[in-house]
Amino acid sequence: MMNDVVIGSPRKTKRRDPSNYKLNIVKEARVKGQSYVSHKGKEVSAKKPQFDCRCANKCLKNLGEEDCLDVFQRFYDIPSKNEQDLYIQGLIDAVDVQQRRPREDVVNRGKKNASFSYHLMVGVTRKEVCFKAFLSVFSISEKRVRRIRNLKLLGKTPEDKRGKGVSHALPVEIYHLVHEHIQSFPLKETHYCGKKKYYLSADLNIKKMWQMYQEKHPQVIPKVSLSFFWQYYHDNFNYPFGRPQVDVCSTCEELNIKIKSPNLNDVAKRAAVAELLVHKAKSKKFYSALQHEQSEEGKNEKHVLSLAFDYMKTISIPKLPVQELYYMRQISVNVFGIHNLKDNKTTIFLYHEGVAKKPPNEVCSFLNEYLKSVSDQYTELRLFSDNCSGQNKNQALSRLCLYLTDSGRFRKVTQYFPLRGHSFLPCDRDFGIISKALKKNDRIFTVHEITLTLRRSRGSVVMDALSICLTCEEQ
């Protein structure tokens, strides 16, 4: 199953405050003339007026240090660079050159178009200063002033175009190719939890997938960088690599090893492939019947009651974070679940080993107890369980089914058993939710505490109506 993603649009993530971005922090500090750490990690000190003027007019001495500090402070109180440049441009006057001297290097350097005069706003008075004093009071570079006065000659206002150059965004066709390439990898699903989770093969990683894309589309221009590929994968897919496999079928594992073995010839490998296909086809029959009961067509069969039942992994109490407890004898608590496939509700039977063990008699008792609370509208019963001979696949359960038909409770009872290793049931998903809830408690002393934990796990979608039969507590 693949998620539906709009090409070129990342997933919705939690919004962050742009003012906390390092780029914006540095930009704001530069505009205000404050100290900051550059992107290369270099510390840049705050700007200060230099009061450097050695002209004959002694323009800065005539102004005074306090007036110069006031001019400096008002300039850096301007909130943006565009406004600062516009302010500087207003303090520069351009006049035509009134007298040109015949010099030999004029031809080589080009003629001077205009001469400039520079001013400072002291209060409401506009006072003329020399070029060096103008730079030192504002603590700005000559390059910045030269750019502003050239724009003034052209009749243009200054505009900050940093970071607004040519866009390097890839065409939409490249997004489609990357998306289709990532979608072509098969997904694996883990089912031992309440929510379905998908994984990619453990043999893959982002770099390998990117290299495969480069080999698959060698002629496509522009090329996709590894950083872009990683970001697109993270925003639109973000599947983890490697599925934790548990309860793997021994037949599937054996045949897969034969297929990958370098010591077998092609005839033996083809035979193993054919055997694996037949084995998987047989295993799908059980899941097809299970999916039919949960589909709309199966739910429309109002006369059919479909149940899946199984035992959960034994829970040991007391549960304590004490090292010595590992070597001590603990009490085993058994959890038996019956999942109604039609209404998606689960009933849990909970008891400890002092009340009973896990033989087939208990399974029959739990099923019979559950069927007593079921409406008489059902005339057909379908049971889904694994192949455990000590609990489900035995004479005791078969005789219970015969009793249900002979007594007239049901006209027909059908039992479904999967192939060994392909016995995933909806109960396993319920037990996964219970296990997650139990892991959150590091101290469990009694069965009653387990019961309270199970009741708190009712918020799950799978176990939306959990009822608990406390055999041990009633006694």
Side-chain angles (χ1 to χ4, degrees), residues 297-308:
E297 183 181 355
K299 291 180 180 180
N300 291 332
E301 297 176 347
K302 304 297 183 181
H303 66 287
V304 178
L305 176 62
S306 303
L307 302 177

Side-chain angles (χ1 to χ4, degrees), residues 220-268:
V220 176
I221 298 176
K223 298 293 184 180
V224 173
S225 64
L226 178 59
S227 59
F228 170 82
F229 192 90
W230 180 91
Q231 189 64 44
Y232 188 86
Y233 179 85
H234 176 76
D235 291 341
N236 296 281
F237 295 92
N238 203 26
Y239 296 124
F241 295 95
R243 174 172 60 93
Q245 296 185 348
V246 293
D247 298 338
V248 179
C249 175
S250 59
T251 304
C252 293
E253 193 71 11
E254 179 184 358
L255 293 174
N256 284 321
I257 291 174
K258 287 183 178 180
I259 294 171
K260 296 178 181 179
S261 175
N263 300 322
L264 293 180
N265 55 30
D266 294 339
V267 177

Side-chain angles (χ1 to χ4, degrees), residues 355-373:
V355 176
K357 302 296 183 182
K358 298 167 67 174
N361 289 337
E362 273 67 14
V363 177
C364 296
S365 300
F366 295 146
L367 285 173
N368 189 42
E369 184 69 23
Y370 180 84
L371 292 174
K372 289 180 181 179
S373 61

Side-chain angles (χ1 to χ4, degrees), residues 157-176:
T157 57
E159 181 181 359
D160 186 10
K161 295 184 179 181
R162 293 175 298 177
K164 300 179 181 179
V166 179
S167 175
H168 297 285
L170 295 175
V172 179
E173 293 78 9
I174 302 298
Y175 283 89
H176 279 282

Side-chain angles (χ1 to χ4, degrees), residues 49-167:
Q50 302 298 324
F51 309 115
D52 185 11
C53 174
R54 298 178 183 178
C55 65
N57 297 327
K58 299 181 181 180
C59 46
L60 290 184
K61 290 185 178 180
N62 296 331
L63 288 177
E65 187 173 342
E66 292 184 1
D67 291 337
C68 293
L69 287 173
D70 181 63
V71 171
F72 173 84
Q73 190 61 45
R74 280 190 296 164
F75 173 71
Y76 283 102
D77 286 341
I78 299 175
S80 68
K81 185 176 182 300
N82 283 334
E83 294 179 59
Q84 288 181 353
D85 290 346
L86 191 62
Y87 176 78
I88 293 174
Q89 194 178 56
L91 298 176
I92 300 175
D93 292 341
V95 296
D96 294 334
V97 179
Q98 297 182 6
Q99 183 179 1
R100 297 186 183 275
R101 296 179 181 177
R103 293 168 53 179
E104 295 179 358
D105 58 347
V106 169
V107 178
N108 299 327
R109 292 189 305 167
K111 293 183 178 180
K112 188 176 180 181
N113 296 326
S115 61
F116 301 92
S117 59
Y118 306 92
H119 306 80
L120 297 178
M121 290 296 299
V122 181
V124 293
T125 307
R126 196 166 182 263
K127 295 188 176 182
E128 185 175 354
V129 294
C130 66
F131 180 59
K132 196 169 185 180
F134 187 79
L135 296 178
S136 63
V137 170
F138 289 119
S139 189
I140 55 179
S141 64
E142 182 178 350
K143 181 179 178 181
R144 182 176 179 180
V145 176
R146 190 185 304 118
R147 168 181 164 268
I148 293 172
R149 70 188 189 188
N150 289 340
L151 290 173
K152 188 178 184 68
L153 291 177
L154 298 174
K156 297 180 180 179
T157 57
E159 181 181 359
D160 186 10
K161 295 184 179 181
R162 293 175 298 177
K164 300 179 181 179
V166 179
S167 175

Side-chain angles (χ1 to χ4, degrees), residues 237-414:
F237 295 92
N238 203 26
Y239 296 124
F241 295 95
R243 174 172 60 93
Q245 296 185 348
V246 293
D247 298 338
V248 179
C249 175
S250 59
T251 304
C252 293
E253 193 71 11
E254 179 184 358
L255 293 174
N256 284 321
I257 291 174
K258 287 183 178 180
I259 294 171
K260 296 178 181 179
S261 175
N263 300 322
L264 293 180
N265 55 30
D266 294 339
V267 177
K269 289 185 178 181
R270 284 197 294 268
V273 170
E275 188 177 351
L276 181 61
L277 291 175
V278 173
H279 175 74
K280 288 186 175 181
K282 289 181 179 179
S283 66
K284 286 182 180 179
K285 290 184 178 180
F286 176 80
Y287 292 116
S288 298
L290 194 65
Q291 290 173 0
H292 170 75
E293 301 301 325
Q294 296 177 315
S295 63
E296 292 297 329
E297 183 181 355
K299 291 180 180 180
N300 291 332
E301 297 176 347
K302 304 297 183 181
H303 66 287
V304 178
L305 176 62
S306 303
L307 302 177
F309 56 91
D310 196 8
Y311 269 102
M312 182 184 170
K313 182 180 178 181
T314 303
I315 304 171
S316 298
I317 56 172
K319 178 185 176 183
L320 291 171
V322 179
Q323 185 177 7
E324 288 79 2
L325 190 66
Y326 178 79
Y327 303 98
M328 296 182 181
R329 181 70 173 90
Q330 295 172 295
I331 300 175
S332 298
V333 178
N334 302 317
V335 180
F336 184 80
I338 300 177
H339 188 99
N340 192 321
L341 300 176
K342 296 299 180 66
D343 58 9
N344 204 31
K345 295 180 180 180
T346 300
T347 300
I348 297 296
F349 294 86
L350 185 68
Y351 62 96
H352 62 73
E353 61 180 345
V355 176
K357 302 296 183 182
K358 298 167 67 174
N361 289 337
E362 273 67 14
V363 177
C364 296
S365 300
F366 295 146
L367 285 173
N368 189 42
E369 184 69 23
Y370 180 84
L371 292 174
K372 289 180 181 179
S373 61
V374 174
S375 173
D376 295 335
Q377 66 175 355
Y378 299 107
T379 59
E380 184 178 346
L381 177 63
R382 296 174 184 171
L383 300 175
F384 296 83
S385 62
D386 57 26
N387 278 301
C388 181
S389 59
Q391 297 170 359
N392 308 322
K393 202 174 185 179
N394 48 58
Q395 292 186 9
L397 192 58
S398 299
R399 288 178 180 177
L400 173 64
C401 296
L402 288 173
Y403 163 75
L404 294 174
T405 54
D406 293 344
S407 63
R409 179 65 182 85
F410 295 98
R411 288 187 299 178
K412 182 179 179 181
V413 178
T414 308

